[in-house]
Amino acid sequence: MKRFLSLVLALMMALTLLAGCGEAVGEIAGNVADAAKAELEKQVKDLLEEYKVNVIEVKTAAGELNGSGKIQFFCGVLVESNSDTLPQSCADALGKIFEDAGVQPQTQTVWRQANKYEVPRICFVNKMDRTGANFANVLNDIRTKLGANAAPILVPIGAEDQLCGQIDVVNQKAIFYSDSDRQGSTYEIKDLEGELKEIGESYLEELKECVANVDDELGELFLMEEPIDAPTLKQAIRRATIANKFIPVAGGSAFKNKGVQGLLDAVVDYLPSPLECKQATVTSTVASGLDENGYEVFDVKTIDPSDKDKPVVLAFKLWADKFVGSLVFIRVYTGVVRKGDTVYNPRTRKRERVGRLLQIQANVHTDVDAVYSGDIAAIVGLKNATTGDTLASDDFDYTLEPPTFPDTVISMAVEPLTKGDQEKMSNALQRLSAEDPTFRVKTDEETGQTIIAGMGELHLDIIVDRLKREFKVEANTGKPQIAYRETITASADRVQGKLVKQSGGRGQYGDVVIAMRPGERGSGLKIANKIVGGAIPKEYMNAVYAGLNEAMNSGSVAGYPVEDVEVDVI
C-alpha cells in the first residue's frame, strides 16, 4: 500500500508544480526536482485560465508531502465515499497509477472500487525511467488482469535511462523532453519520423479499433474506411471514456516530470466535467411517511451544480492548522457560499456563521470572499461541523450522502510519560480523532488503558509522531492488555445456595437451587425460570437474577468475568 501510494504522491507532486500552485512541498526518493516554477507556470498558464485546479496540501508525519504520508489512509477512504459525487470530487479519477512492475493487488482493489462507482478514468504507467520498465507488459496486464478495453494515447519513447519523450498517438507527434533543463520542465514537439512514425501509426490503428468497438459514431467511420481526423477521434475517446467503455493509457515518469504535461491535457480532453457526471443526491432528514412494511420513507432528490441555487456543501475533512486554527474543508455542490453567510447543519440543527473562507492551493492559503459550485475551499472556525456533515441554507433539511468508513484493523495502548501529560494527551487524541474518522480512541474499562485504533501500523505510528511533534506529548506505546474471560466446561445438575440471616425480628431466609451448563460462544448469561408451584414467589425472582449476574463478575479460576453460561432456576 505504501509503495503504491508513493506513486500517487509523486504524480500529484508533478501536477502541483505544473499547476504553479505553491513552492515544492516535499521530497520523494531523496530529492524531487527543484521545480523551475516560473517556467512551469508559463507552460500551463492557458490551461489554468480556462480550467480550475484544486490541489490540497496533505501533511504527513514529517509535515511534508512525501511517500509515507497520511494520504495513504485518506485515499482509501475517499474512494469508498460519496458514490454519487466521487467523480466530481476526485477530479474525475485522474488516473490509476501503475508502475513498471504492472498491475499490483492494491491496483486491483482501487480498480474494483472505481468500477463499483462507475468512475471514468485514465491509466498512467509511472516510473518508465526505472531499470526493467516495460510499457507493453503493463498495458497487457491492464487488459488481461483488469479486463479493461485499453489503448495507449501517450507512448513512452525509450525506457529506463533512455526515456526521452512520448509519442502523442492521437495527433501523431513526438514530444521530446529537455534533460538539460530542470527535470523535464520544457519540451519540444516534433513530427514523427522513421521508426517512431511506424510505431505511432501502429498504435493509432490499435486506438481507433478499440474505440470503434464501443462507439457507434466512430465505428461507422471505421467500418466504412473513411478518414478519421484527430478532433473526431478525440471526441469519440471522450464519449467512450465517460461511458466507462474505454480506458486511455499514458506512460511517463512523474519523478522527472516527463509525461505529466500530456496527462494534464488528456484530463481536459477526455474526462468529464461535473455537468457531465451523475448528479449528487440529497436525502431528507424528516420522514415523509411509511411504506407498506411500516418503515419510514425519506424523500430523495438530485441537485444541479449551479451558482443560482441555494448553497449545499459537504464538509469532507477537518484539519487543525497551527496558524489559522480549525479548518473545515468543503466542496460546494451547488450555490454560492460567501464570507459572513450563515449556514445550517441539518444533523445538529444549528446555525453557524462563515467567518473566513480560504482557497487552498498546495501550501498557499488565500482569503476569498466567496466560493462557487464546484469549488473546494476551507472554512475557518466552525465549531459543530464534523466529517460528512452537510451545510446548507436555513430551510434545507436534506443531507448529502456522508462518507462511510471501514472498521479499524489494529489497536495499540498509549500512555503519557508523566502525569502532567495526561490531560494534554487526552485533548490531543480527541482533536486527532475529530480530524481523522478512521482513527478511534477509547478507554478500556477493565484494564484502564487508553487504546488507539487505526487502519494500519503506519497509521498509528504517524498518530504517535504527531502527538510528540505537534502537541508536545511524550508517550509510551505497547500492546493492549488482554481482558481475559472465564467459562464453565461441564454441566452441574443441582447447585444450591442458602441465605440465613438473623438480625432481629423475623430474620431473612432464602434457598435457591439452579442447574448450569455451558452456553454457546458469545451468548453471555442466559437465565431460565423453571420454578413450579410457586416455590419461589415472583417478587423475589429479580433478586435471584441480580445474584446470578453478580456472581458472573468474578470467576473461580482467576477472578475474571464469566461468560457463556446457561442457568435454569429450578
Side-chain angles (χ1 to χ4, degrees):
M1 179 76 158
K2 176 180 175 181
R3 183 185 183 194
F4 174 81
L5 282 156
S6 67
L7 308 179
V8 179
L9 291 166
L11 180 60
M12 290 307 298
M13 167 70 73
L15 293 174
T16 302
L17 296 178
L18 282 173
C21 300
E23 305 291 341
V25 290
E27 295 184 350
I28 299 174
N31 180 28
V32 169
D34 294 329
K37 187 185 175 202
E39 180 66 26
L40 295 175
E41 286 179 340
K42 180 180 178 182
Q43 289 179 16
V44 295
K45 181 179 179 181
D46 294 338
L47 176 69
L48 294 178
E49 288 178 351
E50 187 174 357
Y51 299 95
K52 189 165 187 64
V53 178
N54 283 310
V55 183
I56 299 174
E57 177 187 23
V58 180
K59 291 184 179 292
T60 67
E64 297 174 335
L65 190 62
N66 56 37
S68 61
K70 187 178 178 183
I71 196 171
Q72 172 171 352
F73 318 108
F74 181 66
C75 273
V77 174
L78 182 62
V79 172
E80 285 288 1
S81 304
N82 308 321
S83 60
D84 290 336
T85 56
L86 181 65
Q88 302 175 35
S89 57
C90 293
D92 312 314
L94 168 78
K96 303 299 170 224
I97 315 301
F98 302 84
E99 63 176 309
D100 54 286
V103 175
Q104 302 296 307
Q106 177 61 22
T107 313
Q108 294 175 312
T109 299
V110 176
W111 193 270
R112 286 194 297 269
Q113 293 168 347
N115 286 339
K116 176 181 177 181
Y117 294 128
E118 299 180 351
V119 181
R121 71 213 76 158
I122 291 175
C123 293
F124 183 76
V125 182
N126 195 22
K127 294 191 177 182
M128 286 304 302
D129 57 331
R130 289 186 60 178
T131 302
N134 191 310
F135 182 78
N137 286 348
V138 178
L139 178 61
N140 182 64
D141 277 358
I142 294 172
R143 290 169 171 168
T144 57
K145 295 183 179 180
L146 301 178
N149 177 34
I153 55 172
L154 294 168
V155 180
I157 299 176
E160 303 179 355
D161 59 346
Q162 300 299 316
L163 179 66
C164 60
Q166 292 173 307
I167 296 175
D168 183 344
V169 177
V170 176
N171 297 305
Q172 289 293 284
K173 298 289 184 180
I175 306 171
F176 292 99
Y177 296 91
S178 174
D179 288 329
S180 61
D181 198 26
R182 296 185 177 183
Q183 298 288 347
S185 60
T186 60
Y187 56 91
E188 184 178 2
I189 299 177
K190 298 181 179 179
D191 291 329
L192 294 175
E193 297 179 352
E195 184 180 356
L196 291 181
K197 185 176 180 62
E198 294 180 5
I199 296 174
E201 290 176 348
S202 174
Y203 276 117
L204 179 60
E205 290 303 314
E206 182 181 347
L207 176 62
K208 290 179 180 178
E209 183 176 353
C210 287
V211 178
N213 288 335
V214 294
D215 185 81
D216 293 338
E217 293 184 30
L218 190 74
E220 185 176 349
L221 295 176
F222 186 79
L223 293 175
M224 298 297 292
E225 297 184 355
E226 295 183 10
I228 300 174
D229 56 17
T232 301
L233 181 57
K234 280 187 176 182
Q235 292 173 5
I237 294 174
R238 180 180 179 84
R239 290 193 299 268
T241 303
I242 293 175
N244 279 306
K245 296 179 179 179
F246 175 72
I247 308 296
V249 182
S253 171
F255 176 71
K256 295 183 177 179
N257 285 336
K258 294 183 176 181
V260 180
Q261 297 87 343
L263 181 60
L264 280 172
D265 291 335
V267 170
V268 173
D269 291 338
Y270 306 129
L271 290 178
S273 76
L275 297 177
E276 297 170 297
C277 294
K278 182 180 178 182
Q279 291 181 333
T281 60
V282 289
T283 304
S284 173
T285 59
V286 180
S288 59
L290 301 176
D291 63 10
E292 56 184 11
N293 296 319
Y295 295 106
E296 292 182 332
V297 176
F298 297 89
D299 291 336
V300 177
K301 64 180 182 180
T302 60
I303 54 176
D304 296 322
S306 169
D307 293 340
K308 298 179 180 179
D309 294 332
K310 294 183 179 180
V312 178
V313 306
L314 177 70
F316 66 88
K317 173 69 177 173
L318 272 62
W319 185 262
D321 188 276
K322 60 182 178 181
F323 298 111
V324 298
S326 176
L327 292 177
V328 178
F329 284 92
I330 61 168
R331 199 266 187 190
V332 184
Y333 284 94
T334 187
V336 181
V337 178
R338 292 183 171 84
K339 183 170 62 174
D341 284 354
T342 298
V343 293
Y344 172 70
N345 188 334
R347 179 182 63 85
T348 62
R349 301 193 181 280
K350 292 182 179 180
R351 295 166 179 81
E352 293 191 78
R353 183 176 178 273
V354 179
R356 188 178 174 192
L357 282 170
L358 294 178
Q359 195 80 57
I360 297 180
Q361 301 286 359
N363 60 344
V364 178
H365 299 185
T366 305
D367 281 280
V368 294
D369 293 329
V371 287
Y372 301 87
S373 179
D375 282 354
I376 292 176
I379 301 177
V380 180
L382 294 185
K383 296 180 180 179
N384 298 312
T386 61
T387 301
D389 277 355
T390 299
L391 305 176
S393 56
D394 286 351
D395 55 349
F396 193 84
D397 253 326
Y398 288 77
T399 59
L400 290 157
E401 180 187 354
T404 55
F405 301 103
D407 293 331
T408 56
V409 297
I410 189 172
S411 59
M412 176 189 298
V414 60
E415 60 182 19
L417 286 180
T418 64
K419 290 184 177 180
D421 286 338
Q422 180 68 48
E423 185 176 353
K424 289 171 59 179
M425 187 185 77
S426 176
N427 294 335
L429 290 176
Q430 287 181 5
R431 286 182 59 181
L432 291 172
S433 63
E435 292 177 11
D436 184 356
T438 62
F439 171 63
R440 314 284 169 81
V441 182
K442 68 175 183 179
T443 299
D444 192 307
E445 295 181 357
E446 295 185 21
T447 64
Q449 288 184 308
T450 299
I451 306 298
I452 59 176
M455 303 309 298
E457 186 176 352
L458 177 62
H459 189 187
L460 297 184
D461 287 344
I462 291 173
I463 293 293
V464 174
D465 181 82
R466 290 188 65 189
L467 282 176
K468 297 177 182 178
R469 181 169 45 83
E470 297 180 21
F471 300 97
K472 312 302 180 185
V473 176
E474 294 292 333
N476 290 326
T477 60
K479 296 180 179 179
Q481 295 179 10
I482 298 175
Y484 289 100
R485 296 290 185 270
E486 296 182 19
T487 190
I488 62 175
T489 58
S491 300
D493 295 332
R494 188 177 180 85
V495 179
Q496 186 175 19
K498 277 189 177 183
L499 170 67
V500 179
K501 187 175 182 181
Q502 185 69 41
S503 57
R506 299 177 60 183
Q508 298 177 356
Y509 177 82
D511 188 0
V512 178
V513 179
I514 61 173
M516 303 174 63
R517 58 186 176 275
E520 295 182 359
R521 177 66 63 89
S523 61
L525 172 64
K526 291 184 177 180
I527 305 175
N529 183 0
K530 296 190 176 181
I531 297 296
V532 178
I536 300 179
K538 291 182 178 180
E539 56 266 27
Y540 293 114
M541 289 305 299
N542 286 336
V544 174
Y545 298 153
L548 289 171
N549 279 286
E550 183 179 348
M552 295 286 286
N553 291 332
S554 179
S556 60
V557 177
Y560 294 108
V562 182
E563 289 187 346
D564 306 336
V565 177
E566 295 182 3
V567 178
D568 294 336
V569 182
I570 58 177

